[in-house]
């Protein structure tokens, strides 16, 4: 039985712990470990370590910070397989997919290695007589990073490398459902020579989150999770005077136009709908078929879904693993019944999909398709976050765009077409933060920033990329006067200073 605990001030936690949570292997349904839950006092200890470390780390040279980032990348590459295995054992996703999330996290680390160029300020000479102006970007201090279960390595890596590269210190509060990856990340930072206290991990639940949101010495909060909690974190964090970026849930629509290559679209819908058992914030959960292609598209999707291999994430044959917990599996499956009750057609029932080699106690649900979904049904209005693809039939391209724009979420969307003018119109009119054209999961590359619109993101800055650097730094502008000759005798002048 594993025991997972906090990581504070460069070492594993040895203090007393009053509360624990259970960690499961979703493929067997068995409890495989316990994770410590932090109290308010434990959070205070971690923040104190981070605050003390910040006083020195903020002065570390850009060369030193970049050096640590390069060594962190090397440590992650060395331990990549171990990290992927830990993710699969607690999250359930198949090993290749777990490795893929580590790879996308590594891209952000590589971006942060360029910190000497990223944190550059600006300088204007002679804005006025003998007066120059410089803008500099300085770290903000202790940053809290609160993350969801579905990407236990990648989402922490969206924020922490950039926060640390910018000269901040971090307290990470990962999901209590799959906590091991965060401890492996802490070990990698230590191997990279990061000073103690710069990166800390606190496990737990609402108690730990609330303590971080209220702590005087936490200056910034990056959150990723469901929309109700993202809203809560944004409202309470900003009320406590912190800068907050809170990324929430999603309902991602993939529109297929009659001119699209239907095989390409069917492949994309199945891959993006059922990869990681649909537990991705960028998963395609709604397929919008612009008629008359609906029947043909659903038929091609059914053919493909029938061949998907569902099984344990550690079994090389598996393409899709189990869901994160039993209650979550049951909730996802309940939308198949409610969808039918509300008038949808169950085109594929994942409850009867075969499972290769998995234990019957595992949290299984095969890929499912609900056809003829309408915007009033709960399977459309709710974020299901599982392997259920809803198909909405639209009579025109305009109707498809209006449907997406009326949806409260705005994380990702995709259009499948062979017409450039349709693509151009879609990317211009659609009210969503990340748009794919013949790309079903348009997660931006690390040099851009990741973020949705509407209820998918609260705050002004997106994650990683240039927005990440903006979020983790404060700008300061220095106006200076260094006359070549001796300073002229000061003269009283009560007018507002102008430039000459
Ligand atoms: P969640 O909101 O339940 O949990 C996220 C974090 O908040 C966890 O660390 C959890 O411990 C904490 N938390 C949970 N309940 C809390 C409460 N009442 N008060 C304070 N903190 C609380 O999300 P999840 O189930 O772990 O992850 C799935 C969700 O995350 C989905 O909605 C998915 O769309 C979303 N997500 C969004 C993005 C994005 O980029 N927009 C990325 C990944 C996941």
């Amino acid at each position: 039985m594993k025991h997972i605990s906090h990581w504070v001030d460069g070492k594993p936690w040895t203090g007393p712990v009053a509360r624990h949570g259970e960690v499961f292997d979703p493929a067997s349904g068995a409890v495989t470990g316990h994770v410590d839950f932090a109290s308010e006092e434990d959070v205070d200890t971690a923040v104190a370590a981070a605050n003390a470390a910040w006083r020195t780390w903020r002065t570390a040279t850009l060369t030193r910070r970049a050096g640590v980032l390069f060594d962190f990348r090397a440590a992650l590459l060395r331990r990549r397989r171990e990290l992927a295995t830990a993710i699969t054992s607690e999250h359930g996703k198949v090993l290749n997919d777990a490795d893929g999330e580590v790879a996308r996290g590594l891209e952000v680390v590589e971006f942060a290695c360029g910190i000497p160029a990223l944190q550059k300020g600006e300088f204007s000479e002679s804005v006025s007589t003998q007066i120059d102006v410089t803008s500099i970007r300085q770290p903000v201090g202790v940053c809290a990073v609160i993350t969801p279960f579905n990407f236990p390595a990648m989402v922490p890596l969206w924020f922490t490398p950039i926060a640390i590269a910018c000269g901040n210190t971090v307290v990470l509060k990962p999901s209590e459902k799959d906590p091991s990856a965060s401890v492996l990340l802490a070990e990698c930072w230590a191997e990279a020579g990061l000073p103690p206290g710069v990166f800390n991990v606190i496990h737990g639940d609402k108690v730990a989150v609330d303590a971080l949101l209220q702590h005087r010495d936490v200056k910034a909060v990056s959150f990723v999770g469901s929309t109700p909690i993202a809203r809560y974190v944004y409202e309470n964090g900003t009320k406590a005077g912190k800068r907050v970026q809170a990324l929430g849930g999603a309902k991602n629509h993939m529109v297929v136009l009659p001119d699209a290559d239907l095989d390409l679209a069917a492949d994309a819908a199945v891959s993006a709908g059922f990869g990681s058992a649909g537990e991705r914030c960028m998963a395609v959960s709604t397929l919008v078929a612009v008629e008359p292609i609906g029947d043909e598209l659903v038929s091609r999707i059914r053919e493909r879904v029938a061949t998907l291999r569902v099984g344990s994430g550690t079994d090389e044959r598996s393409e899709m693993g189990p869901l994160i917990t039993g209650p979550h599996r049951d909730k996802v499956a309940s939308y198949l019944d409610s969808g039918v009750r509300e008038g949808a057609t169950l085109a594929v029932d994942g409850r009867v999909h075969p499972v290769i080699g998995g234990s019957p106690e595992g949290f299984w649900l095969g890929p499912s398709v609900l056809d003829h979904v309408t915007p009033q049904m709960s399977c459309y209005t709710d974020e299901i976050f599982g392997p259920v693809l809803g198909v909405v039939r639209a009579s025109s391209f305009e109707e498809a765009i209006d449907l997406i724009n009326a949806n409260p979420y705005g994380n990702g969307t995709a259009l499948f077409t062979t017409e450039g003018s349709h693509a151009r119109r879609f990317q211009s009119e659609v009210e969503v933060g990340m748009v794919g054209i013949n790309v079903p999961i348009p997660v931006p590359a690390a040099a851009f920033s990741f973020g949705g619109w509407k209820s998918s993101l609260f705050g002004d800055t997106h994650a990683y990329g240039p927005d990440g650097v903006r979020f983790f730094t404060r700008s300061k502008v220095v106006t200076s006067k260094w006359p070549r000759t001796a300073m002229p005798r000061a003269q009283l002048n009560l007018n507002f200073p102008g430039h000459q």
Side-chain angles (χ1 to χ4, degrees):
M1 193 67 69
K2 288 181 287 193
H3 172 218
I4 302 129
S5 196
H6 321 308
W7 179 281
V8 174
D9 211 11
K11 50 190 181 302
W13 180 264
T14 50
V17 176
R19 293 188 307 131
H20 306 266
E22 288 179 330
V23 178
F24 291 87
D25 169 9
S28 68
V31 175
T32 54
H34 291 97
V35 56
D36 292 344
F37 277 12
S39 65
E40 215 179 301
E41 293 72 39
D42 301 340
V43 170
D44 192 44
T45 304
V47 174
N51 205 25
W54 183 61
R55 292 178 199 293
T56 318
W57 183 246
R58 71 185 291 274
T59 66
T61 63
L62 289 163
T63 316
R64 161 105 171 95
R65 288 189 242 150
V68 170
L69 262 294
F70 273 99
D71 290 345
F72 178 58
R73 176 180 179 273
L76 280 177
L77 286 171
R78 264 195 314 275
R79 302 187 66 176
R80 183 170 173 165
R81 189 74 184 170
E82 192 185 345
L83 204 43
T85 306
I87 294 168
T88 295
S89 70
E90 294 177 358
H91 176 285
K93 63 176 77 172
V94 299
L95 259 177
N96 281 344
D97 194 30
D99 183 69
E101 81 157 273
V102 179
R104 289 307 293 260
L106 268 160
E107 289 177 18
V108 180
V109 179
E110 285 156 9
F111 173 79
C113 286
I115 194 62
L118 297 170
Q119 210 174 337
K120 267 197 318 206
E122 291 179 322
F123 179 80
S124 283
E125 189 182 44
S126 298
V127 295
S128 186
T129 310
Q130 298 173 332
I131 290 187
D132 306 323
V133 177
T134 310
S135 72
I136 49 182
R137 300 207 71 92
Q138 297 190 313
V140 295
V142 178
C143 301
V145 176
I146 303 162
T147 55
F149 80 81
N150 65 320
F151 285 108
M154 185 184 77
V155 171
L157 289 172
W158 280 357
F159 303 102
T160 51
I162 300 179
I164 288 172
C166 289
N168 301 283
T169 56
V170 168
V171 178
L172 169 67
K173 207 304 280 172
S175 170
E176 63 278 30
K177 297 191 179 102
D178 42 16
S180 289
S182 58
V183 178
L184 287 171
L185 294 180
E187 289 174 9
C188 288
W189 280 117
E191 286 170 25
L194 189 73
V198 178
F199 179 76
N200 308 275
V201 181
I202 274 292
H203 297 287
D205 54 5
K206 182 172 166 50
V207 172
V209 171
D210 285 342
L212 287 167
L213 293 179
Q214 296 308 324
H215 203 294
R216 198 187 42 156
D217 292 331
V218 171
K219 301 297 181 201
V221 179
S222 300
F223 173 90
V224 180
S226 57
T227 287
I229 312 295
R231 188 179 280 117
Y232 172 85
V233 166
Y234 184 77
E235 288 175 357
N236 287 280
T238 51
K239 207 183 289 173
K242 302 171 196 327
R243 77 170 47 177
V244 182
Q245 50 179 188
L247 285 70
K251 195 80 183 177
N252 304 314
H253 297 61
M254 172 175 149
V255 178
V256 183
L257 291 182
D259 61 70
D261 176 330
L262 290 194
D263 281 320
L264 187 79
D267 284 344
V270 171
S271 309
F274 303 116
S276 197
E279 292 173 327
R280 289 180 184 146
C281 65
M282 290 292 274
V284 167
S285 48
T286 304
L287 188 67
V288 186
V290 178
E291 297 294 28
I293 47 124
D295 287 345
E296 183 56 30
L297 187 58
V298 171
S299 152
R300 293 190 199 193
I301 286 172
R302 287 174 64 157
E303 279 168 26
R304 285 160 172 78
V305 168
T307 67
L308 284 184
R309 295 187 303 275
V310 176
S312 165
T314 52
D315 188 323
E316 278 181 5
R317 294 168 299 171
S318 305
E319 293 168 290
M320 190 185 118
L323 276 75
I324 185 73
T325 62
H328 183 60
R329 185 265 324 273
D330 296 344
K331 184 168 177 227
V332 172
S334 76
Y335 284 99
L336 302 179
D337 291 330
S338 71
V340 170
R341 262 198 320 274
E342 293 171 37
T345 313
L346 187 54
V348 181
D349 186 350
R351 292 170 294 198
V352 295
H353 197 99
V355 175
I356 6 165
S359 149
E361 307 305 318
F363 309 139
W364 305 109
L365 178 64
S368 307
V369 180
L370 280 167
D371 196 3
H372 299 287
V373 168
T374 62
Q376 297 72 34
M377 296 177 184
S378 54
C379 60
Y380 178 81
T381 54
D382 296 0
E383 182 189 33
I384 298 177
F385 216 57
V388 178
L389 181 65
V391 183
V392 178
R393 311 289 187 104
S395 58
S396 65
F397 189 23
E398 290 69 31
E399 193 184 318
I401 294 178
D402 289 348
L403 180 75
I404 298 172
N405 289 350
N407 195 281
Y409 296 107
N411 212 40
T413 189
L415 176 74
F416 277 71
T417 183
T418 49
E419 263 293 325
S421 61
H422 293 326
R424 195 162 179 276
R425 176 178 175 193
F426 187 74
Q427 69 187 47
S428 167
E429 292 183 15
V430 80
E431 291 172 14
V432 172
M434 293 171 283
V435 180
I437 305 294
N438 297 319
V439 172
I441 307 185
V443 173
F448 293 81
S449 297
F450 180 108
W453 285 14
K454 301 188 272 185
S455 294
S456 294
L457 189 144
F458 303 94
D460 302 318
T461 43
H462 290 193
Y464 67 76
D467 265 16
V469 177
R470 276 189 279 275
F471 183 78
F472 288 117
T473 52
R474 279 185 298 191
S475 138
K476 185 183 271 180
V477 180
V478 181
T479 303
S480 52
K481 184 172 187 174
W482 289 107
R484 215 179 297 167
T485 51
M487 286 266 191
R489 206 179 68 78
Q491 288 171 347
L492 288 179
N493 181 353
L494 272 63
N495 293 336
F496 194 65
H499 288 155
Q500 292 133 25

